[in-house]
Amino acid sequence: MTTVGILYPGHAAEDDYPTAEKLLGPDVSLPVVHTYGEDLHAVDALLDLGRSDRLAVGAASLSKYHPDAVLWACTSGSFVFGWEGATAQAEGLAAAAGVPATSTSFAFVRAAQALGVRRVAVAASYPAEVATHFAEFLGRGGLSVTGLSSQGIVTAAEVGQLDPADVVELACAHDTPDAEAVLVPDTAMRTVALVDEIEERLGKPVLTANQVTIWAGLRLAGHDGAHDGPGALFRTGRS
């Protein structure tokens, strides 16, 4: 059994993790512990949400599951710190948890690298200011953003209420012809059960926040085998 502890902010799309457990089989466990802060896609609120003391409390709560790795399942609450700040955040989380740890923001970069893609389109639910921070973070990771959407949705709770059809349309509407993959960066958006459908429509890999979070956690835990999904990322089995 490989256990990846998930620190998830608030409540929105945390049911993506039991959905993923069913897809990945009985050898994968993804226990979720919630952290709390202001539910707002604004830089100051996100910096507060990702504070090291908040994550340390969450790591302590995850310890009862004896995780092999821990993931801060929050894209915006990591990339707003910038590359260096997000690195320090992940290192602090690893120290608090006593196991390898990272965040969704780094998971996106590593997943793109594993697929061998450099040019990506971003279908973001965030306001423009927050979405721009994500594009800058991807740039630091060596990725070129060919298109950046900002839907202007202010809270994670609102994102969690999107219908599956709306999520699919959001991803498909913001592809660009020169993008090698499409990135959907909000862990508040239910996407795990939709990745394959979006990929079929676009004809290219799709990376979503909860999907890459799980993938990165499994890789940190030493579980690098291929699965039937979700998405091309899991089918490659590449670390």
Side-chain angles (χ1 to χ4, degrees):
M1 173 71 73
T2 302
T3 301
V4 177
I6 303 296
L7 287 185
Y8 190 91
H11 296 272
E14 62 267 39
D15 49 349
D16 257 3
Y17 294 93
T19 296
E21 286 178 330
K22 293 177 183 177
L23 289 172
L24 298 173
D27 292 335
V28 172
S29 176
L30 304 168
V32 175
V33 162
H34 297 273
T35 66
Y36 295 96
E38 187 176 6
D39 180 15
L40 191 64
H41 286 151
V43 173
D44 287 347
L46 293 167
L47 289 170
D48 182 71
L49 187 67
R51 283 177 7 217
S52 60
D53 58 324
R54 288 190 190 277
L55 301 192
V57 170
S61 297
L62 277 170
S63 64
K64 64 184 177 183
Y65 298 106
H66 305 290
D68 301 297
V70 168
L71 263 288
W72 170 223
C74 185
T75 327
S76 55
S78 46
F79 67 67
V80 293
F81 288 84
W83 191 270
E84 289 78 13
T87 298
Q89 181 190 64
E91 290 173 347
L93 178 57
V99 296
T102 191
S103 66
T104 305
S105 293
F106 286 117
F108 270 111
V109 174
R110 306 301 179 230
Q113 292 171 340
L115 289 172
V117 304
R118 295 288 302 275
R119 300 185 306 278
V120 300
V122 175
S125 57
Y126 312 126
E129 180 185 12
V130 175
T132 298
H133 280 279
F134 184 50
E136 292 171 352
F137 189 92
L138 296 175
R140 283 294 307 272
L143 303 180
S144 174
V145 176
T146 62
L148 176 65
S149 77
S150 52
Q151 296 300 106
I153 301 178
V154 177
T155 68
E158 292 174 84
V159 175
Q161 294 171 3
L162 292 173
D163 290 333
D166 293 331
V167 174
V168 172
E169 288 307 317
L170 172 67
C172 292
H174 297 289
D175 183 23
T176 64
D178 51 347
E180 298 169 290
V182 174
L183 277 53
V184 186
D186 199 338
T187 59
M189 192 181 296
R190 290 178 181 84
T191 58
V192 165
L194 303 175
V195 174
D196 290 319
E197 177 183 350
I198 301 169
E199 287 190 343
E200 184 175 354
R201 282 188 54 177
L202 295 179
K204 64 181 66 175
V206 172
L207 301 176
T208 75
N210 291 322
Q211 173 210 30
V212 301
T213 295
I214 297 160
W215 175 87
L218 291 174
R219 294 317 185 263
L220 279 182
H223 181 108
D224 60 359
H227 291 269
D228 290 336
L233 178 65
F234 275 86
R235 288 191 289 273
T236 64
R238 292 156 66 178
S239 60

